[in-house]
Amino acid sequence: MISRPKGTYDVLPQEVKAWTKLESTIRKICQIYNYQEIRTPIFEAASVFHRDGNDTSDMVNKETYDFVDRSNREITLRPEGTAGVVRAFIENKLYAMNRINKLFYIGPMFRYERPQKGRTRQFSQFGVEVLGSNDPYVDAEVIALGTSLIKALGLKNVKVKVNSIGDKESRDQYRIACVEYFSAYKKELCEDCLNRLGKNPLRILDCKVDKDKEFFKNAPKIKSYLNEASKQHFNAVLQALEAMKIPYEVEDNLVRGLDYYAHTVFELEVDIPEFGAQNVIGGGGRYDSLVSDLDGPITPGVGMAFGMERLLLACAYGGKNLVVPNYLHIYFIVLGEEAKKAALAQMNVCRLGGLYCDMDYLNRGIKAQFKAADEHRAMFTCILGENELKEFKINIKNNETDEQETISLYEVYPYVLNKLNSKSACTSCKEKEVKKDE
Ligand code: HAM
């Protein structure tokens, strides 16, 4: 038997409903905040992600799926959405429109990580990217959009953690302080941090291996190195969050795992014990040189991404029920070959009219067919035997009320339509229930 690759998963039909419901909730929120959807390729030229040799993030250094295609092009499966969106922004000259671009995307990403609960090698992200504005209120808007999604999904106990890693000048000052401080502990640093010390000491703060070591406690904090402009930017973000009544916590050590950030960084954390270390459901921040690093015009950006699987898992542990069961308007039950053919014809009429219908294609007995009607949550069951067929009649049963009638074979469609549209049928019918859930 061929198995799926390690770190991947199948979304089976009964689970797809939760995905589509999550996606439609996301689309609605993006519409409310006026973000436009963008779809970029799942694979890109490797240089979109491997931009320079100084990148210290695990994602870029250790986790990308890289390959050479049949024409010797170096290709990378996208590990995240931001860089591809920025590549598309530049290539399609979206900057030429001389306005702020508020974009969102939903799609699969790939990282060669050690799989565990909430962490897979193929996973999906919902992300937003705002390109073209320096305004700190945009940072706050992106966080607000994230918290709106959390609210819409009924998720409780989600913390918004924010920090500022300042502008380049502030980070340069901080870098000097970090190098000085951590150099004294070289022997205790893990191999990755030793490498980070030379390239991007700020990211030592994000180290999962070293962060609990004693010397970490007195490490310099970025907030002491923020220059006036950086402080102003961060304060404006916090004030905007307060104006929108969005609770947040400032987390001094939050630096995030990607190298492109500047100024605001943030994460959304759920408090669900089963999540363990994977309790960050989303995160993001501002990036001011990514567009120019990819050879575009200097353009500020800010964005965020959520793990779709983690959102779904969080919902399953205590959010909104996203799994709306399927239902049918009519299930056709037939006895005999002629009845089957006649029912098929009527079912097609109903389907062309937009009703959800099905019948048994396994030639099973009547009991099994009734059971199938139940399993499919059919609102009406049409029963057609050879006797009814002779008279061009059909029995129809309202499964809500158990009322049964014999009607003309050719009236199934208008009969059901009429019942669905009539108020009395709709007050108790499953259609109403489903509409309410959706
Ligand atoms: P990230 O923190 O690397 O940021 O990923 C965002 C979210 O994707 C995480 O919070 C997590 O929920 C989910 N995620 C990441 N890796 C995995 C995995 N292996 N399995 C399941 N879920 C995962 C970014 O990707 C940035 N591009 C966010 C951003 C957008 N920053 C600015 N704009």
Side-chain angles (χ1 to χ4, degrees), residues 77 345 397:
L77 294 186
K397 185 175 159 233

Side-chain angles (χ1 to χ4, degrees), residues 59 79-82 105 111 113 118-125 127-129 256 258 260-261 267 280-285 287 302-310:
M59 187 193 79
E80 57 117 29
T82 312
Y105 49 89
R111 295 184 193 177
E113 291 191 268
R119 193 161 81 187
T120 45
R121 290 183 174 170
Q122 175 174 334
F123 61 98
S124 281
Q125 278 187 347
V128 304
E129 310 297 341
R256 305 258 312 131
L258 297 160
Y260 49 60
Y261 291 116
E267 285 183 346
V280 178
I281 51 172
Y287 45 91
V302 55
M304 157 187 77
F306 283 96
M308 297 282 280
E309 295 79 1
R310 289 188 196 177

Side-chain angles (χ1 to χ4, degrees), residues 328-340:
L328 288 178
H329 293 122
I330 313 171
Y331 194 84
F332 287 84
I333 292 180
V334 295
L335 294 145
E337 199 51 41
E338 284 308 306
K340 187 177 172 189

Side-chain angles (χ1 to χ4, degrees), residues 231-249:
K231 275 189 209 156
Q232 265 180 25
H233 186 99
F234 193 39
N235 284 338
V237 175
L238 300 184
Q239 279 164 19
L241 291 176
E242 280 155 31
M244 290 188 282
K245 299 195 169 32
I246 295 171
Y248 65 84
E249 287 173 21

Side-chain angles (χ1 to χ4, degrees), residues 159-204:
K159 279 189 188 144
V160 177
K161 299 198 165 171
V162 280
N163 194 22
S164 170
I165 56 168
D167 60 9
K168 188 169 178 315
E169 186 188 87
S170 308
R171 287 196 307 281
D172 283 346
Q173 291 305 312
Y174 183 57
R175 186 187 311 259
I176 296 168
C178 277
V179 171
E180 200 178 304
Y181 181 82
F182 287 116
S183 294
Y185 298 97
K186 265 186 182 169
K187 282 196 191 121
E188 292 172 63
L189 289 176
C190 73
E191 202 183 311
D192 282 341
C193 282
L194 272 177
N195 184 30
R196 287 168 185 147
L197 187 62
K199 290 181 175 175
N200 186 356
L202 195 98
R203 295 231 34 257
I204 296 179

